[in-house]
């Protein structure tokens, strides 16, 4: 019986040793599981910090891309506006060239002589074509010139006489002429002083430009005309200018003559019709505007191309960041599962060890 008790004791000791060994193994496994959960949690925090930085960079790129896209929209709007302006100016040039080449706005006699007539080569020019002026003065100058506006300039009276005969024989209309060989000189001493006044613009002859050979003609036609701002300005000066025989014309084209004659107003046709003075100047000015706009379009195209390349680069960077963010989110999800598994195993093992 003693032997059996000793055997049972030894068996219990062995069983206790096995239980203790199993307990220690369970604690070890619980520690490993706990450490695994802690490492997963640490890596989750580090990964979330990295992702926060990437998210901030993504937001910065999104803001930059929005600015670039706004710049592209502004460039597109300006391109469209410049294109519309070019089309309008080219259409205006075409109209003015057609009017100029067809002598639209001129009398039948002028057209008959200037277009395909045996006298066309003898015509030095039309007064309206020979002078240039700033646009604000064009209407006033047309009034000041009167019929001389479409007068034909020729070298001598013989040329004018032959042309008149051509018109008369064919009932082709009438025309006025200024023969340069019969142009009387302008007495410089008879020049009058431009009066002072808020509404005074200046002497008409001083407000036009022309080739030197026609300067005497311009002085003859406009030397005794004053351009003023409006009718009240002209009436205020009328008495003082009647003595020297100076006519006044307003910027709107109204006339107050030294003789006392007053005229003015405007017809609907005048409102729509391009002026005769400065058509060439208008054409050249519009062509310069078209050239400037063409250059501007080239600059805008370069800016658009550069902006599109920049936008493509930023979009590419954003796509790469989105890919990295997706990878990090997948990584965090995996780490969350690892942490949960570790915490669950540690809890289960600790409960078993405590039991």
């Amino acid at each position: 019986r003693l032997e059996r008790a000793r055997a049972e004791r030894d068996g219990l000791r062995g069983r206790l040793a096995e239980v203790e060994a199993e307990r220690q193994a369970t604690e070890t496994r619980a520690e490993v599981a706990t450490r695994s959960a802690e490492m997963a949690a640490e890596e989750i925090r580090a990964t979330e910090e990295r992702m926060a930085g990437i998210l901030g960079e993504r937001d910065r790129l999104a803001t930059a891309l929005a600015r670039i896209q706004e710049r592209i929209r502004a460039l597109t709007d300006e391109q469209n506006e410049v294109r519309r302006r070019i089309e309008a100016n080219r259409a205006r040039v075409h109209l003015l060239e057609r009017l100029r080449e067809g002598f639209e706005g001129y009398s039948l006699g002028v057209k008959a002589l200037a277009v395909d007539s045996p006298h066309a080569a003898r015509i030095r020019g039309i007064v309206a074509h020979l002078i240039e002026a700033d646009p604000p003065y064009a209407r006033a100058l047309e009034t000041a010139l009167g019929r001389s506006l479409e007068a034909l300039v020729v070298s001598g009276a013989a040329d004018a006489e032959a042309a008149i005969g051509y018109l008369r024989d064919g009932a082709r209309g009438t025309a006025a002429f200024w023969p340069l060989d019969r142009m009387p000189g302008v007495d410089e001493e008879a020049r009058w002083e431009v009066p002072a006044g808020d509404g005074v613009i200046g002497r008409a002859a001083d407000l036009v430009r022309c080739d030197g050979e026609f300067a005497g003609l311009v002085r003859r036609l406009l030397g005794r005309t004053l351009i003023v701002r409006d009718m009240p300005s002209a009436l205020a000066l009328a008495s003082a200018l009647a003595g020297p025989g100076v006519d006044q014309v307003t910027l709107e084209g109204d006339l107050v003559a030294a003789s006392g004659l007053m005229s003015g107003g405007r017809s609907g046709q005048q409102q729509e019709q391009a002026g005769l003075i400065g058509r060439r100047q208008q054409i050249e000015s519009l062509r310069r505007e078209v050239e400037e706009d063409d250059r501007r379009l080239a600059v805008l195209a370069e800016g658009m191309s550069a902006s599109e390349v920049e936008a493509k680069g930023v979009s590419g960077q954003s796509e790469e960041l989105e890919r990295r963010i997706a990878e990090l989110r997948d990584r965090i999800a995996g780490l969350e599962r690892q942490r949960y598994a570790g915490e669950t195993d540690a809890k289960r093992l600790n409960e078993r060890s405590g039991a």
Side-chain angles (χ1 to χ4, degrees), residues 247-308:
D247 295 333
Q248 298 179 82
V249 182
T250 70
L251 293 176
E252 288 294 319
D254 299 326
L255 170 69
V256 176
S259 64
L261 174 69
M262 295 174 61
S263 66
R266 186 183 306 175
S267 67
Q269 184 178 9
Q270 285 177 312
Q271 182 73 20
E272 298 296 330
Q273 188 181 49
L276 300 180
I277 288 182
R279 280 184 181 172
R280 181 183 66 186
Q281 185 180 3
Q282 293 178 55
I283 291 171
E284 292 174 353
S285 176
L286 289 170
R287 283 176 174 165
R288 285 194 298 270
E289 289 183 20
V290 169
E291 290 173 359
E292 290 174 2
D293 281 339
D294 280 336
R295 288 193 293 270
R296 180 58 183 164
L297 270 185
V299 172
L300 291 172
E302 290 179 2
M304 179 72 77
S305 177
S307 295
E308 289 174 345

Side-chain angles (χ1 to χ4, degrees), residues 6 45 200 221 269 271:
R6 285 177 178 172
R45 285 192 294 272
V200 174
L221 296 176
Q269 184 178 9
Q271 182 73 20

